[in-house]
Amino acid sequence: MIKLDVLNLLEKNGKTKYWLYKQLGMSYQNFNKMVNNETKSIRYENIETLCLLLECTPNDLFIITED
């Protein structure tokens, strides 16, 4: 299973979940589902924005787990 690893990247960059929420401009409900891996899809534009904000690549955003 592929999971979004945003919370770990935020911690490494010294940023908060609230900071990211404000930067993305999404509804809190959609944002919370995305960072808690409760959604089935993420828009390319959100992936790009996450990469720019967290100064990482898409490869850094995702981890693969064996669930």
Side-chain angles (χ1 to χ4, degrees), residues 20-22 24-34 46:
L20 184 60
Y21 160 67
K22 290 306 246 180
L24 288 173
M26 302 171 72
S27 73
Y28 185 75
Q29 183 179 11
N30 288 339
F31 169 77
N32 202 44
K33 283 182 180 181
M34 182 179 72
N46 290 335

Side-chain angles (χ1 to χ4, degrees), residues 33-65:
K33 283 182 180 181
M34 182 179 72
V35 298
N36 291 321
N37 293 294
E38 296 171 356
T39 186
K40 295 193 181 269
S41 65
I42 301 173
R43 299 178 79 170
Y44 284 129
E45 64 189 46
N46 290 335
I47 294 172
E48 180 181 9
T49 303
L50 285 168
C51 288
L52 293 172
L53 291 170
L54 298 172
E55 300 175 0
C56 65
T57 66
N59 194 42
D60 299 326
L61 280 179
F62 299 98
I63 56 173
I64 297 176
T65 61

